Amino acid sequence: MHVLVNAATSADGKLSSRRREQIAISGPDDFDRVDSLRAESDAVMVGIGTVLADDPHLTVDASSSAARTERGEPPQPARVVADSRARTPPDARIADDAARTYLLASESAPTERVERLEARGVRIIVAGDERVALEPAFDQLAAEGIERVMVEGGGELISSLFEAGLVDELSVFVGPTIIGGRNAPTLADGEGFVEGFPALSLESVERLDDGVVLRWRV
Ligand code: NAP
C-alpha cells in the first residue's frame, strides 16, 4: 500500500488553533491541489479527532468525480476513519452515502455504537485491542482493493503512522500565518521521537496561493 500524508500548516507548523477548530490556512489553488490528490487515491483517511473537530466530507468535486468514473473507478474515493471506540457520530458527514466509508476500530469499540454505524452503511474493520493497530488494519484495507491512501490528519494519527513506518510520502502546504499555542495541534503530535527520527528527502518546492508546498519522500 502507498501512503501519502497531506496537510496544511501555519508558518509555525500548527494544523489548527488551541481550540482545535478548523482554520483556513491555504487558498483556492491549494484546494484544487488537494482535490486532485484525493481523486488519485483509493481512499482518504482522517482520525476521529478530525471528524469530531471539523466534520469533514472528504469527497472530490464534480469534474474529478467524472474523471474517476471515466477511468473505471468509483466516482468518489473511499473514506477511512481511525476510531478505536467507534465515536464517529452516525450523522457525521463522513458516514453519509456519498462514498464508501470504512471505520477502523479496536476490540474495545462498544457493540451498540458499531451496529449504529453499520446500519448507516459504514464498513467496520477491527484491528488492535484498545487502539487501532494501523498495520493490520491497512492489510485489511488492501484486501478490499485499497492500494493508495491519502491521510489528511490530524497530528495524532500522522504521528502514529510515522512511528509505524507506514508513510511513503509527505506533502505540506505551509501558509502565511502564525497560529501559535503550545497545545495547538502540530503536523506530528503523539509522544514524539527522541531517536530514530524519520528521515525525509525533499522532492519539490512549489509556490502556491500565498504559501509554499513542500513534497518529501520518506
Ligand atoms: P486526529 O489525529 O484526527 O485523531 C486522533 C484520534 O484518532 C486519537 O485520539 C484516537 O482516538 C484515534 N486513533 C485511533 N487509532 C489511532 C492510532 N493508531 N494512532 C493515533 N490515533 C488513533 O486528531 P488530532 O490530532 O486531535 O487532530 C485534530 C485537529 O487537527 C483538529 O483541530 C483539526 O482541525 C486539525 N486538522 C488540520 C488539518 C490541516 O491540514 N490543517 C487536517 C486535519 C485535521 P481513539 O483512541 O478514541 O480512537
Side-chain angles (χ1 to χ4, degrees):
M1 183 180 289
H2 184 91
V3 178
L4 160 71
V5 170
N6 179 77
T9 71
S10 56
D12 57 322
K14 303 295 184 186
L15 292 179
S16 72
S17 76
R18 69 177 192 274
R19 293 185 181 153
R20 300 187 111 73
E21 292 161 348
Q22 195 171 23
I23 292 184
I25 293 172
S26 61
D29 291 344
D30 192 57
F31 289 152
D32 289 346
R33 184 186 67 86
V34 170
D35 193 82
S36 303
L37 289 178
R38 284 183 185 169
E40 289 160 10
S41 306
D42 298 318
V44 183
M45 178 175 187
V46 291
I48 179 63
T50 299
V51 170
L52 296 176
D54 303 346
D55 194 18
H57 201 210
L58 302 182
T59 50
V60 300
D61 69 20
S63 63
S64 296
S65 178
R68 284 178 59 92
T69 309
E70 235 166 68
R71 295 199 295 268
E73 295 168 0
Q76 294 288 341
R79 301 168 294 188
V80 180
V81 194
D83 180 8
S84 315
R85 291 165 283 159
R87 290 185 290 147
T88 298
D91 62 352
R93 298 175 76 218
I94 204 168
D96 72 7
D97 58 7
R100 180 176 287 193
T101 300
Y102 294 94
L103 188 134
L104 311 183
S106 71
E107 300 284 354
S108 68
T111 310
E112 68 276 14
R113 284 196 210 151
V114 168
E115 286 176 353
R116 262 207 317 262
L117 287 159
E118 278 178 325
R120 293 274 288 150
V122 174
R123 293 161 194 237
I124 312 289
I125 287 177
V126 179
D129 295 333
E130 290 298 320
R131 198 167 228 207
V132 178
L134 293 167
E135 201 165 355
F138 277 16
D139 288 344
Q140 292 188 59
L141 285 175
E144 296 277 319
I146 292 176
E147 286 303 328
R148 289 186 64 86
V149 176
M150 173 189 181
V151 179
E152 297 203 13
E156 290 290 336
L157 176 62
I158 292 172
S159 168
S160 288
L161 288 166
F162 273 107
E163 262 172 49
L166 290 171
V167 183
D168 298 294
E169 250 183 285
L170 169 68
S171 64
V172 187
F173 175 88
V174 182
T177 187
I178 300 289
I179 294 177
R182 65 184 65 81
N183 295 321
T186 67
L187 184 67
D189 289 329
E191 291 297 312
F193 295 94
V194 289
E195 56 183 9
F197 306 100
L200 309 176
S201 153
L202 189 62
E203 294 266 300
S204 69
V205 179
E206 180 193 355
R207 194 176 176 139
L208 196 68
D209 293 321
D210 289 329
V212 64
V213 179
L214 303 170
R215 285 185 51 245
W216 309 87
R217 200 156 281 284
V218 184

